[in-house]
Amino acid sequence: MPYSEEQLADLKDEYFSTLKELQNLGLNCIRQADKITNIQAREHMHHGAGRRISLIRRAIQNIYLRFPPDTKQKIHIDDLLDVQINLQAFVVNLYGIFENFAWAFVLRHNLKVVIGDDRKKISMFSEHTQKHLPAQINAYLTKNDTLSWIKDYLKYYRDSLAHRIPLYVPPFIATEAEGTRFNELEAEKFPCIQAENWQRLKEIDAEQGAIGSPCFAFVHAFSGSVSPKPILMHPQLLCDAKLVIEFGSLFLEHWHENVQSDAANRLR
């Protein structure tokens, strides 16, 4: 289904504001990195989180350029593949931003000696790291809305992308009648090739090309123990980016604090 006029107007407004806010967050990461002495923490903040923020910002731009929300006709297969490449890059780096923030925090406060040099424990989504975070950051990560987003969306889709089925934008959606006709035409193709009836094959391709309308959703699989729900791509990209902006701003405001150090000071 196409977006409504009201939805298109909202997407346009949110698109430009989100890009600007991502740019500001990335610059703030670089400024914060320049203030700390730990080289590894600085690298995770500057070349980790900062670079990833630039990448997800560009991925949003590329997707909106190749597949605008107001698209009326099916887009070319090459553009569709570019959309999928950028969508996959977006999700991988979206996840990675949180991990870079976690490593930057742990390294800045020399917490590897406490947590251990373990990639599974040093993570913004691990309780081993969370218990050392300032209260404001930990509260954000453990509230119900964030937990649901992390478990049911971010980790679910990122893990599928990395280990199982990559994210996919269908080339079109069709009515039942259109689907039936598409399949009938598809069944004609091989006999045409065998008979070298290139004219009919060309006609079939043209008719199939006119069937259906753009699909604005993405999925990662069509089967499995859990049936994945299609997600509307354009608003989801902006919602994800907004969450990164919100969390990133909160993190940068408090990441100089350390729960362990504060507790130690209270015991003195």
Side-chain angles (χ1 to χ4, degrees):
M1 292 290 291
Y3 299 111
S4 67
E5 291 300 320
E6 182 179 0
Q7 289 172 323
L8 287 174
D10 289 341
L11 286 172
K12 183 178 180 180
D13 291 341
E14 290 297 324
Y15 171 76
F16 288 108
S17 65
T18 299
L19 293 184
K20 182 63 176 177
E21 289 170 358
L22 282 173
Q23 184 179 49
N24 291 338
L25 179 62
L27 290 173
N28 199 12
C29 285
I30 295 172
R31 294 190 193 100
Q32 292 271 349
D34 290 341
K35 295 178 181 179
I36 59 177
T37 57
N38 186 295
I39 295 175
Q40 288 182 305
R42 186 190 308 163
E43 185 169 32
H44 273 282
M45 184 61 71
H46 188 158
H47 299 292
R51 188 182 297 171
R52 291 183 192 276
I53 289 167
S54 295
L55 284 170
I56 68 167
R57 182 178 185 273
R58 186 58 180 167
I60 293 171
Q61 288 178 302
N62 287 338
I63 291 171
Y64 271 69
L65 176 65
R66 287 163 175 75
F67 194 2
D70 61 355
T71 299
K72 298 295 189 296
Q73 303 296 325
K74 295 183 296 184
I75 64 174
H76 190 275
I77 185 61
D78 289 341
D79 287 325
L80 187 64
L81 289 172
D82 283 341
V83 167
Q84 291 175 144
I85 290 169
N86 281 277
L87 175 62
Q88 292 173 21
F90 177 89
V91 171
V92 166
N93 285 287
L94 181 70
Y95 189 98
I97 290 168
F98 289 88
E99 299 303 77
N100 284 130
F101 281 151
W103 277 92
F105 181 86
V106 167
L107 291 166
R108 179 176 185 177
H109 296 286
N110 196 29
L111 291 172
K112 283 176 68 175
V113 296
V114 179
I115 299 174
D117 190 2
D118 187 325
R119 294 180 185 274
K120 292 184 178 180
K121 291 182 178 180
I122 301 177
S123 169
M124 200 60 75
F125 310 124
S126 167
E127 62 180 11
H128 299 282
T129 297
Q130 288 177 353
K131 66 183 179 182
H132 297 284
L133 295 171
Q136 295 90 337
I137 299 175
N138 197 32
Y140 187 97
L141 290 169
T142 55
K143 65 181 181 178
N144 289 337
D145 288 348
T146 309
L147 286 173
S148 177
W149 180 81
I150 292 169
K151 178 185 176 183
D152 300 330
Y153 171 71
L154 181 61
K155 288 179 67 66
Y156 184 60
Y157 280 81
R158 179 267 178 190
D159 288 353
S160 178
L161 171 59
H163 306 294
R164 298 188 297 278
I165 307 298
L167 308 185
Y168 173 71
V169 180
F172 63 91
I173 55 175
T175 64
E176 185 175 350
E178 287 175 329
T180 299
R181 180 55 180 160
F182 188 94
N183 291 333
E184 289 173 350
L185 292 168
E186 192 69 21
E188 277 192 63
K189 283 186 174 180
F190 188 64
C192 286
I193 294 172
Q194 286 182 313
E196 298 185 5
N197 188 348
W198 310 124
Q199 178 58 37
R200 176 54 186 157
L201 192 63
K202 185 177 180 180
E203 293 169 356
I204 290 172
D205 286 339
E207 187 175 347
Q208 283 185 321
I211 290 175
S213 56
C215 178
F216 296 102
F218 67 89
V219 296
H220 70 73
F222 294 101
S223 63
S225 56
V226 178
S227 179
K229 297 179 180 179
I231 296 178
L232 282 174
M233 179 172 58
H234 297 91
Q236 187 65 48
L237 293 173
L238 299 183
C239 286
D240 293 344
K242 288 288 188 183
L243 192 146
V244 166
I245 293 162
E246 188 175 67
F247 176 78
S249 300
L250 179 70
F251 177 80
L252 294 178
E253 183 181 354
H254 296 284
W255 81 300
H256 62 282
E257 306 165 17
N258 174 236
V259 170
Q260 186 187 49
S261 297
D262 292 346
N265 289 331
R266 287 195 296 270
L267 290 174
R268 291 175 183 172

